[in-house]
Amino acid sequence: MDKEIFDLILEETSRQNRGIELIASENYASKEVREACGSILTNKYAEGYPARRYYGGCEVVDKIESIAIARACELFGSKFANVQSHSGSQANAAAYRALMPEGGKVLSLVLNDGGHLTHGSPVSFSSHLYNFVHYPLDVEGRLDYENILKIALEEKPDVILAGYSAYPYEIDFKRIREICDYVGCKMMVDMAHIAGLIAAGLHNSPVALADITTTTTHKTLRGPRGGLILTNDEALAKKINSAVFPYYQGGPLEHIIAAKAICFKEANTDSFKAYMASVKENTKACADEFEKLGVKSSGSENHLFLLNVLDSFGINGKEAQAKLEEIDITTNKNMIPGDTLPPNKTSGLRIGFAASTTRGCTKEDAIEIAHIICDYLSNSKSQEECVAKVHTMTSSWKATEEI
């Protein structure tokens, strides 16, 4: 009926299938997740929570949302879960409101070192409603827990926030909990990027330690686009629910909540654990290969790493991102610790393997990807040669619509 949009969907399907997706915050949802997203559940208004709705006819969606809540709690070992947040940003907004009054002080990572927009960026609601102060990474680009403690004692925040959008190393959540207890403040974790690793037992979990943990469901969890909020504190759970609805949101997206329930079930399987192990292996193999090739890499202990393309190739992150798109490799420009360039240019690229591994990328492929990127950014191989290598590789992977 709408050929214009239908053709564009086919065009996007082709783009996804021919290229190598290395954006660390992207993934490919399963057919079951996508079917739930496109189901007739989108027709139902369900303001409120199971058994406490403002509309009639919610007996079925009540069951679906209750299953999603139970599966989220089981997957992450949490007592309470809110599955209604439309996004990770709205999950963070609700968490802040539950933890402190407007104007409260939050200690978070310096944004240029790998924080998220909602962790106090001047262009985000977060910095307008709350007072953000920041801790930096050390000279090696790692968390300095002693310095976090020092700054926390000076600033006396209401909340210390951990969890990052471009941090390639394991986070010591226990140490952050100890700092919070010593200072006398709340602990919040935004585990959006590493939720899949945590679900698979491949990264230590913050859920039993943090007062509130938030995440998205569409990155390493491989689910639909949306947010999730976890807590073990019943009083906080009530505040979270009120902050999500009616304060920030109206009717929940029950079709997306059904898809979240499916992704929680998928993530609680041995096959998902094996998949996440492969993501870590592929990411490390690619990062290590860049080092062997003389390219400045952060290395990796999770699903992503950073490349210093300015020092390695003499171009900024924006230029490197655009150049790689010429050979159907998708990345994103990203600030690196101590970056001297602005966010619209950056000195680095952020690279992740969650999406490509879903399609079938192997360790050998990941190593070859490092060579292709290095060859093209250094101008040692032509566009035609590199495109041919990319398309040969992706032609042997699963098609995105078959996942």
Side-chain angles (χ1 to χ4, degrees):
M1 180 179 177
D2 192 335
K3 191 173 187 305
E4 183 178 12
I5 296 298
F6 181 73
D7 286 348
L8 288 172
I9 291 173
L10 292 180
E11 186 178 333
E12 172 61 11
T13 301
S14 175
R15 186 198 69 81
Q16 290 186 16
N17 283 331
R18 72 174 180 269
I20 297 174
E21 181 56 72
L22 297 178
I23 293 177
S25 53
E26 292 194 10
N27 212 329
Y28 300 108
S30 69
K31 182 183 290 187
E32 290 77 11
V33 166
R34 299 197 312 273
E35 286 176 347
C37 289
S39 71
I40 59 170
L41 295 173
T42 193
N43 298 336
K44 188 70 193 92
Y45 236 125
E47 286 184 346
Y49 291 97
R52 294 180 288 119
R53 305 288 191 182
Y54 285 73
Y55 289 83
C58 292
E59 58 273 16
V60 176
V61 293
D62 277 5
K63 294 176 185 177
I64 290 170
E65 188 167 335
S66 295
I67 289 171
I69 291 168
R71 288 180 181 176
C73 288
E74 180 185 2
L75 182 63
F76 291 109
S78 181
K79 291 182 180 178
F80 304 99
N82 184 299
V83 297
Q84 289 194 5
S85 294
H86 298 338
S87 69
S89 293
Q90 287 180 293
N92 284 347
Y96 295 147
R97 181 167 174 81
L99 286 169
M100 60 189 161
E102 268 190 35
K105 184 182 284 190
V106 184
L107 178 59
S108 67
L109 180 67
V110 171
L111 298 175
N112 290 354
D113 283 358
H116 186 258
L117 285 175
T118 58
H119 299 178
S121 168
V123 300
S124 163
F125 75 89
S126 54
S127 65
H128 292 262
L129 298 181
Y130 303 97
N131 177 20
F132 276 81
V133 291
H134 302 284
Y135 53 88
L137 298 178
D138 65 17
V139 293
E140 296 181 351
R142 292 179 179 266
L143 291 167
D144 183 340
Y145 298 98
E146 291 305 314
N147 194 40
I148 295 173
L149 172 59
K150 179 184 175 183
I151 296 171
L153 288 169
E154 293 170 353
E155 295 287 351
K156 296 179 173 57
D158 298 295
V159 175
I160 294 178
L161 174 58
Y164 317 102
S165 64
Y167 188 69
Y169 311 115
E170 183 137 353
I171 304 164
D172 188 345
F173 292 120
K174 183 180 178 183
R175 183 72 181 102
I176 294 174
R177 177 75 261 177
E178 290 169 351
I179 294 170
C180 290
D181 290 342
Y182 190 82
V183 175
C185 66
K186 300 289 188 181
M187 176 181 172
M188 176 180 161
V189 172
D190 179 348
M191 65 173 185
H193 262 273
I194 55 174
L197 291 165
I198 290 167
L202 297 173
H203 190 292
N204 70 90
S205 174
V207 176
L209 299 167
D211 293 281
I212 294 179
T213 303
T214 64
T215 184
T216 54
T217 51
H218 55 273
K219 296 184 177 78
T220 51
L221 268 182
R222 207 161 57 176
R225 294 194 166 273
L228 171 67
I229 311 173
L230 303 167
T231 187
N232 292 305
D233 185 312
E234 186 173 3
L236 276 178
K238 292 177 180 178
K239 290 181 179 180
I240 290 165
N241 286 349
S242 296
V244 173
F245 174 83
Y247 191 81
Y248 278 113
Q249 296 183 179
L253 308 177
E254 291 296 337
H255 55 303
I256 302 299
I257 289 172
K260 289 176 184 178
I262 294 168
C263 100
F264 299 149
K265 184 175 183 178
E266 290 175 348
N268 205 6
T269 61
D270 290 340
S271 61
F272 184 84
K273 293 179 176 65
Y275 155 70
M276 286 309 313
S278 295
V279 170
K280 281 191 71 173
E281 180 182 46
N282 291 345
T283 307
K284 187 177 188 310
C286 188
D288 290 350
E289 193 66 18
F290 273 117
E291 288 283 357
K292 294 175 185 177
L293 293 169
V295 180
K296 289 188 176 181
S297 162
S298 65
S300 180
E301 296 174 1
N302 53 29
H303 68 298
L304 64 83
F305 61 92
L306 299 172
L307 281 186
N308 185 331
V309 292
L310 186 64
D311 286 353
S312 301
F313 302 106
I315 57 176
N316 64 44
K318 181 180 180 181
E319 293 167 331
Q321 175 184 312
K323 191 170 175 65
L324 289 176
E325 285 188 1
E326 296 171 357
I327 59 169
D328 289 333
I329 294 179
T330 312
T331 61
N332 66 277
K333 62 183 182 296
N334 209 94
M335 303 284 280
I336 60 175
D339 210 324
T340 57
L341 295 182
N344 64 338
K345 289 187 177 179
T346 80
S347 297
L349 290 179
R350 183 185 67 171
I351 291 178
F353 274 83
S356 292
T357 304
T358 293
R359 289 191 62 198
C361 176
T362 65
K363 180 180 176 180
E364 291 71 29
D365 291 337
I367 292 170
E368 177 62 17
I369 287 168
H371 284 267
I372 295 171
I373 290 174
C374 190
D375 286 342
Y376 197 58
L377 294 185
S378 64
N379 299 310
S380 63
K381 293 285 177 67
S382 70
Q383 180 178 355
E384 291 74 16
E385 289 176 289
C386 292
V387 166
K389 287 183 178 181
V390 168
H391 291 177
T392 297
M393 184 181 296
T394 58
S395 67
S396 67
W397 293 355
K398 295 178 184 175
T400 58
E401 61 271 30
E402 296 172 357
I403 292 167

